[in-house]
Amino acid sequence: MVDPAVATKFAVRAHGVFKRYGKLNALDGLSVDIPRGSITGLIGPNGAGKTTAFSIFAGLIHADSGSLDILGMGPFDPARHAGKVTVVPQDCELAPHSTVREILVHFAQLQGLTRGAADRDTDRILTRVGLVDRQRARMHQLSHGMKRRVAVGQALLGKPELVLLDEPTNGLDPELVLQMRELILAQHGERTLIVSSHNLAELENVCDHVIFMQKGRLVLSGSLSEVTQRAARISYELEAPIAFELPGVHIVAKGNTLQVEGPTGMSVADVNQLVIPRLLEAGARLVEVRPGKSLEEAYMATRPSS
Amino acid sequence: MKLRSIALVARFELWDAIRSKKALALLILYLTASLAGTALFIRTVEAIEGALADTLAVSRTAQAGTMTSALFQSDQFRRILEGLVGDGPLAAKLVSIPPLALFYGAFALGLVPLLVVLSASDTIALEVSTGAVRYSLFRCDRLSYALGKFFGQVGLMVVGVFTGALASTVLGAFSFASFDAWSTVQWMFVLSVRTCFFGFAFLGVAFLVSQLTASVNLARAGGILLWFLLTVGHHLLDIEKVRAWAPVLVPTVQEIFPGAHRLDLWRPEFLPRFSAEVILLGLGAGFFSLGYLRFARRDG
C-alpha cells in the first residue's frame, strides 16, 4: 500500500529495477524517485538504459525484478494508467497510410475520450504542434520533423499526468528544437515530464530536475541547481587571465576562467557583490558570469576517466 | 480487456489495411481472380452447351445458360460432383445449388485461406518491428489490442469475400441466359458466410505466427508454411495407409486441420454444418490464443 503522502510527492518511484537481455544488464538495480510536476532530464551515454527505463515506466516492457510505482497507482497497468501516462517513443513509426488527424483522434479515443472530445482535443493538439494545415496528410507524406511533431502531439492528448519523452528533438532542425523546448516548458506545472536527450545544453534550458544514468544504474539525481552546484560555485569568464585572490573565498583559475566557491550560506548574488567589484578593480575585463557548472560539466564529472 | 478498445483498434486496422497497398493489392487480386474464374466457368459452360448442341444437331445459342439447368441436373454432372466430394448423397443435394454459386463457393473456399494468411500474417509483427505498437500499448491492454487487430482483419476478409461474390454475381447476371437471380444471390450470400467461417480458422493461424515473432519476413514465411502444412497435411492424413497406421490418432489429429471440416460446410443439414462452423471458430480462437501467450509476455 503506497503512502498517500509519498504517492502525491513523486510521479515515479523505482527501486531495485533489473532488466536483463541475455548477458547484458540493461537495468542493474535502478532506483529513482521523480518529483511530481517536475521536468526531469534523464541523461546518460548510449546503452545507459534510458530507453529501457522509459519502456518499463510505461509498461511497454516487463522488468525482471524490482518495485515500481507510477503516479501512486503501482506498476503501469493500462486499466489504471491509460490516459494518465503517455510516451513519445524513440524511432517508432506511426501508421504510414493514415492521416495525422485520424491517428490523433484514434489515440484520443483509445485512451478514453468520446468521439466528440477526441475531435476537439485533436484540434487543440494540431494547433499546439503547428500541423493544422497538414492534418489531412498521410504520415508517409510528412517530413521527419512533422512526424516528430505528431509523435509529441499524441503524447499531449487528453490530460496526461506523466509524459515520457525519449529523445524528442532527435534529428530536428534548430527552429523545431526551439518549438519543442517551448512546448515542453509550457507543460511545466501541469504535469510531470521526463525527457531523455543527448543535448545537455537543451536539457539545461528546460529541466528542473536531472538524473544521470550509467550502465543501468543511477549515478546522480537531484534538482538542477543541486547537481550543477549553482548556489555554491560561480565561473567568471574573463577576456584575459589575471592573478586574483580574495580572503575567505576559494578561487581556482583555469585559463581565462576563474571558478569561485563562495563561503557557505552565501547566495549567488552575495558572492557576485563581493567578487565582481574587486575583479574590476584588479583590471579584469569580465566577459560572462555563470553560476555553477554547466550540466555538461556536471555530467562529465560523473563519467569514469578514460 | 475492453470491448470499446477492441472495436476502436479493429476499425482503425480495417481502414488502415484497406489503404495499405498490400491489402488493397490482395483485395484486387482476389476480385480479379473471382471475375476471371467466373468468366472461365461461364466459358466452360458455354463450350459444354455448344458440344451438346452439336451432338443433338440443334443450333448453338449466343449466350451460355440456356441448357445449364438440364446440364447440372444430369446424372453425368452428379457423378462428376460425387467424384470431387467423395460423398454420393451430398453430391445429390449439391446439384440443387445454382451453378454460379456452386462454383464461387468452391473457388472461395480454396483461395480465401491463402489470401487471408498473406494479408494478416505480418499484422502484429510489423507493428512490433516498427515500434508502432508502442503508441497503443500504453493506451489499452495487450489483449484488446491483439483482438482488435484480429477483428480488423476479419472485417477485411468479409469485405473481400462478399465483394468477390457480388462481382461474380453481376458478371453471371450479364453472361447467363437463364440466370436465377434470387436463388443465386441467396446462395452466394450463404456460401460467402460459410467461407468466412473457414477463413476465420486461417486468420487464427496468421495471428499465431504474427504474435510469435517481431520479424516481418519470418511471420510471412511462417504463415505461408503453416497454410501449406495445414492444407497438404490434411490430405496426407486422408490417405488410407496413413489412417490405417494409427486409426484413432490420425482422425483425432485431423480435427485440428481446418480442411477436415470444409466438406461439412456444404451439408444442407443444420447440425453437421453448425458443428463445423463452431469448430472452425474454435480453431481460429485456439491458434490466436497460442500466439497471444507469447505476445502477452514479449517486450513491446
Side-chain angles (χ1 to χ4, degrees):
Chain A
M1 188 73 168
V2 180
D3 180 351
V6 173
T8 53
K9 193 177 169 191
F10 296 106
V12 176
R13 302 204 78 199
H15 293 290
V17 176
F18 284 85
K19 177 66 182 178
R20 180 183 276 255
Y21 293 110
K23 290 181 183 173
L24 174 70
N25 280 342
L27 292 184
D28 193 14
L30 178 71
S31 294
V32 288
D33 292 321
I34 295 172
R36 276 211 194 226
S38 68
I39 301 179
T40 295
L42 191 60
I43 300 162
N46 291 331
K50 305 186 295 296
T51 298
T52 304
F54 268 30
S55 301
I56 286 175
F57 295 164
L60 300 174
I61 66 177
H62 309 285
D64 293 331
S65 62
S67 75
L68 193 60
D69 184 74
I70 308 293
L71 299 175
M73 292 185 275
F76 184 89
D77 182 343
R80 292 192 297 269
H81 293 94
K84 294 186 170 69
V85 178
T86 57
V87 184
V88 180
Q90 187 184 9
D91 298 333
C92 293
E93 287 184 23
L94 287 157
H97 307 289
S98 295
T99 66
V100 173
R101 186 176 188 87
E102 283 166 352
I103 285 171
L104 292 176
V105 169
H106 169 64
F107 285 150
Q109 286 187 278
L110 201 56
Q111 64 189 56
L113 274 67
T114 61
R115 179 60 200 244
D119 272 323
R120 287 189 295 277
D121 211 41
T122 296
D123 289 332
R124 176 181 69 88
I125 293 298
L126 286 168
T127 306
R128 207 84 184 266
V129 298
L131 285 173
V132 175
D133 57 342
R134 299 291 282 162
Q135 60 180 293
R136 304 285 174 203
R138 301 197 193 282
M139 286 303 298
H140 68 86
Q141 296 171 321
L142 300 182
S143 67
H144 172 73
M146 288 179 182
K147 286 179 185 173
R148 210 77 191 116
R149 279 194 263 168
V150 177
V152 171
Q154 60 82 33
L156 299 176
L157 287 166
K159 291 178 181 162
E161 293 176 35
L162 173 64
V163 182
L164 309 170
L165 300 102
D166 198 351
E167 308 273 359
T169 58
N170 200 13
L172 297 185
D173 62 45
E175 189 185 338
L176 280 174
V177 169
L178 181 63
Q179 286 176 16
M180 203 62 74
R181 185 200 308 164
E182 287 166 0
L183 196 57
I184 292 171
L185 282 171
Q187 311 303 314
H188 195 259
E190 288 184 34
R191 48 191 58 94
T192 307
L193 275 72
I194 308 176
V195 185
S196 144
S197 177
H198 289 300
N199 189 336
L200 299 184
E202 196 51 44
L203 283 180
E204 196 162 3
N205 288 324
V206 298
C207 296
D208 51 18
H209 191 87
V210 291
I211 293 169
F212 293 163
M213 278 182 71
Q214 244 173 62
K215 293 183 181 175
R217 289 183 191 159
L218 173 73
V219 173
L220 186 64
S221 170
S223 67
L224 185 66
S225 57
E226 281 169 3
V227 167
T228 55
Q229 298 174 308
R230 285 204 173 157
R233 195 171 86 170
I234 305 169
S235 297
Y236 296 94
E237 178 100 12
L238 307 177
E239 207 171 64
I242 63 164
F244 184 77
E245 287 178 0
L246 206 58
V249 178
H250 178 64
I251 299 173
V252 173
K254 288 185 178 178
N256 288 9
T257 305
L258 290 177
Q259 289 179 349
V260 174
E261 284 182 30
T264 309
M266 258 187 137
S267 69
V268 170
D270 290 338
V271 174
N272 280 338
Q273 282 287 99
L274 185 65
V275 170
I276 290 174
R278 284 161 181 77
L279 262 179
L280 296 175
E281 275 172 20
R285 290 176 62 78
L286 197 56
V287 174
E288 187 184 354
V289 178
R290 272 195 320 271
K293 307 176 205 177
S294 67
L295 189 58
E296 187 179 299
E297 285 170 326
Y299 170 66
M300 292 310 292
T302 66
R303 298 281 288 138
S305 50
S306 56
Chain B
M1 185 180 77
K2 276 182 164 181
L3 287 177
R4 184 174 182 263
S5 298
I6 295 170
L8 285 169
V9 174
R11 186 184 67 186
F12 189 80
E13 170 67 15
L14 177 60
W15 283 118
D16 199 57
I18 286 173
R19 279 201 214 106
S20 78
K21 285 181 184 152
K22 189 191 90 177
L24 198 59
L26 288 170
L27 257 176
I28 291 171
L29 181 68
Y30 180 71
L31 256 179
T32 309
S34 297
L35 288 170
T38 303
L40 189 64
F41 173 73
I42 292 167
R43 290 289 162 266
T44 306
V45 168
E46 206 173 38
I48 295 171
E49 286 180 352
L52 257 179
D54 292 344
T55 306
L56 296 172
V58 296
S59 51
R60 288 175 175 234
T61 54
Q63 207 178 12
T66 42
M67 287 189 271
T68 311
S69 181
L71 191 67
F72 281 84
Q73 299 285 339
S74 68
D75 281 342
Q76 287 94 329
F77 180 71
R78 189 182 49 74
R79 278 198 288 275
I80 292 170
L81 210 50
E82 193 176 323
L84 283 172
V85 303
D87 187 328
L90 177 60
K93 286 168 184 160
L94 289 180
V95 294
S96 63
I97 298 175
L100 187 63
L102 194 65
F103 164 77
Y104 182 75
F107 168 84
L109 283 170
L111 192 57
V112 162
L114 176 61
L115 288 179
V116 141
V117 156
L118 284 174
S119 168
S121 286
D122 61 359
T123 305
I124 290 183
L126 183 63
E127 296 229 335
V128 172
S129 71
T130 60
V133 69
R134 296 186 157 211
Y135 290 103
S136 298
L137 291 185
F138 61 82
R139 293 183 158 96
C140 70
D141 60 279
R142 286 178 183 237
L143 184 57
S144 299
Y145 168 80
L147 282 174
K149 287 289 188 183
F150 180 76
F151 284 111
Q153 289 291 323
V154 168
L156 189 66
M157 175 184 67
V158 169
V159 165
V161 168
F162 279 86
T163 306
L166 178 67
S168 294
T169 306
V170 168
L171 182 61
F174 282 107
S175 307
F176 270 122
S178 59
F179 182 74
D180 184 351
W182 179 236
S183 183
T184 303
V185 166
Q186 271 185 303
W187 274 105
M188 279 293 209
F189 178 82
V190 163
L191 291 173
S192 295
V193 170
R194 295 178 192 180
T195 300
C196 289
F197 277 102
F198 194 59
F200 187 91
F202 282 92
L203 261 178
V205 171
F207 271 76
L208 163 63
V209 292
S210 196
Q211 293 179 98
L212 282 180
T213 177
S215 162
V216 170
N217 290 336
L218 261 180
R220 288 174 183 161
I224 293 170
L225 180 66
L226 265 182
W227 164 81
F228 179 77
L229 288 173
L230 287 171
T231 305
V232 169
H234 156 65
H235 291 298
L236 284 175
L237 292 177
D238 257 347
I239 296 170
E240 274 304 317
K241 276 187 181 173
V242 175
R243 293 180 84 88
W245 171 73
V248 173
L249 180 65
V250 168
T252 307
V253 167
Q254 219 178 0
E255 289 297 309
I256 65 165
F257 286 72
H261 310 281
R262 189 158 89 170
L263 201 60
D264 287 335
L265 292 174
W266 289 99
R267 297 195 186 280
E269 301 88 9
F270 171 75
L271 203 54
R273 200 178 66 242
F274 179 71
S275 302
E277 287 165 355
V278 169
I279 289 171
L280 287 167
L281 286 180
L283 284 175
F287 288 130
F288 172 90
S289 301
L290 274 177
Y292 182 72
L293 284 176
R294 170 74 180 117
F295 180 67
R297 283 161 182 72
R298 84 171 305 128
D299 291 335

